[in-house]
Amino acid sequence: MRIIFMGTPQFAVASLDALIDAGCNVVAVVTAPDKPAGRGQKLNESAVKQYAVEKGLKVLQPEKLKNPEFIAELQALKADLQVVVAFRMLPEVVWNMPAKGTINLHASLLPQYRGAAPINWAIINGEKESGVTTFFLKHDIDTGDVLFTEKVTLSGTETAGQLHDRLMDKGAGLLVKTVKSIESGKYNEHPQAQLSEGIELRHAPKIFKTDCLIDFNRPVIDVYNMIRGLSPVPTAYTHLNGKVLKIYNAEYQETEPGLQPGAFISNHKTSLKFATKDGFICATDVQLEGKKRMGIEEFLRGNKL
């Protein structure tokens, strides 16, 4: 099959690499345009573009997916199948083009966590399991018929970054299985499962900076899960002596805090604890505004509280 791959971040690179290793015929890669970044505003290439260039693959970087020139380029490639991993919403003229359709790898067990940030929200909500799903694209986002799924059990202590890496590898393998099944014609697609009565459908919208401010009036387990779910990016934060303090990792204690939520106590050597509604968040890995990220002991040695 002639395959066009669409993706942008590092998560997608593992899938593209797995397809290449499996001998799949990737005729082109579609990724985000280069963007200026950093103080020098140097153009930054996506992780997928860097990989594709290294492998000598044809790269397309359309600003707009409905651009007639881009559509003509896609049509000229005569792809049998398009594969989407961590890209953006496609217009119907694009996803409906190949004879065998367009498939997507999504980092959740659909229909749960449709949206842009499934890994973060699964951790934030304290889920006990997560996984990856491959499905055919349809009109509405993340609603197409499911091909394959694979589950992973969550420990309750991992960060979004750690789950990202697990699902990145798990998803790459599942994607190769999916593509090979479509190529051989040996697959079954089925509508996304209907949730049992009483089970809430959870969504995974994009996360903004305002969503990352810690509310210490919430139960301690919720704050702990939020910190894990936003680590390492975009990172949960609070304010300490008038400055932003990012918290990358923490432990928690369920106890009667005896302090107003948000108040902190420290032994100035090894411990910095913030009171919540029903316990303490014990910061272990932090970054103060204008400083580098550091463990709590190093932080306390260099900062008078």
Side-chain angles (χ1 to χ4, degrees):
M1 290 191 304
R2 293 174 62 81
I3 296 169
I4 293 175
F5 183 91
M6 302 182 177
T8 295
Q10 191 63 40
F11 187 92
V13 172
S15 290
L16 178 55
D17 184 55
L19 291 175
I20 299 296
D21 280 354
C24 297
N25 182 24
V26 179
V27 297
V29 168
V30 182
T31 191
D34 300 345
K35 292 182 179 179
R39 291 182 180 177
Q41 290 294 283
K42 181 181 176 183
L43 284 178
N44 193 29
E45 298 177 339
S46 76
V48 163
K49 180 183 177 180
Q50 291 174 35
Y51 175 89
V53 169
E54 182 185 309
K55 293 293 183 180
L57 299 172
K58 180 180 179 65
V59 177
L60 304 177
Q61 296 179 274
E63 288 283 350
K64 295 182 178 179
L65 297 178
K66 291 183 179 180
N67 183 303
E69 291 177 4
F70 171 63
I71 299 299
E73 274 192 288
L74 283 187
Q75 289 171 333
L77 288 165
K78 294 182 166 55
D80 300 298
L81 180 72
Q82 289 175 158
V83 174
V84 179
V85 183
F87 193 49
R88 48 181 159 153
M89 277 191 71
L90 302 182
E92 184 173 359
V93 67
V94 173
W95 61 255
N96 206 24
M97 190 181 297
K100 294 182 183 294
T102 299
I103 60 170
N104 185 212
L105 170 69
H106 190 70
S108 81
L109 299 173
L110 292 172
Q112 296 289 25
Y113 296 105
R114 294 169 178 156
I119 294 173
N120 303 93
W121 285 106
I123 299 284
I124 290 168
N125 289 332
E127 297 290 357
K128 301 291 188 256
E129 68 176 12
S130 181
V132 283
T133 304
T134 52
F135 66 98
F136 280 111
L137 286 189
K138 280 188 175 180
H139 288 280
D140 297 326
I141 189 166
D142 299 337
T143 61
D145 290 343
V146 169
L147 291 159
F148 297 100
T149 61
E150 193 160 344
K151 296 180 180 181
V152 299
T153 301
L154 303 184
S155 67
T157 60
E158 65 267 90
T159 64
Q162 290 166 336
L163 179 57
H164 169 280
D165 292 351
R166 288 177 69 193
L167 295 185
M168 179 173 66
D169 294 337
K170 190 76 72 176
L174 191 70
L175 186 63
V176 170
K177 174 182 176 180
T178 303
V179 169
K180 293 293 186 182
S181 297
I182 292 172
E183 191 165 33
S184 67
K186 296 176 181 176
Y187 66 92
N188 293 308
E189 53 184 297
H190 54 88
Q192 293 184 22
Q194 296 293 313
L195 297 179
S196 303
E197 189 174 343
I199 296 180
E200 178 187 356
L201 180 64
R202 294 183 179 272
H203 297 280
K206 185 175 179 180
I207 295 171
F208 297 93
K209 185 177 179 181
T210 50
D211 301 317
C212 300
L213 177 62
I214 299 171
D215 178 4
F216 287 107
N217 289 292
R218 293 178 60 78
V220 69
I221 188 63
D222 290 354
V223 177
Y224 174 66
N225 289 340
M226 175 189 177
I227 290 168
R228 293 190 299 118
L230 298 176
S231 179
V233 288
T235 324
Y237 71 94
T238 186
H239 293 95
L240 184 67
N241 296 335
K243 291 187 176 181
V244 170
L245 180 74
K246 293 182 176 180
I247 303 180
Y248 289 90
N249 225 325
E251 297 171 351
Y252 71 96
Q253 299 171 346
E254 291 181 304
T255 182
E256 178 57 52
L259 293 171
Q260 283 290 106
F264 69 88
I265 54 174
S266 173
N267 65 7
H268 306 290
K269 292 181 179 180
T270 60
S271 171
L272 174 62
K273 304 197 298 188
F274 293 87
T276 71
K277 175 183 177 181
D278 56 359
F280 284 106
I281 287 292
C282 311
T284 59
D285 186 358
V286 299
Q287 182 177 12
L288 190 64
E289 185 179 334
K291 305 280 183 148
K292 67 174 185 176
R293 177 178 170 179
M294 59 187 78
I296 198 63
E297 292 185 21
E298 182 184 0
F299 171 77
L300 289 173
R301 279 198 301 272
N303 291 277
K304 299 292 183 186
L305 302 181

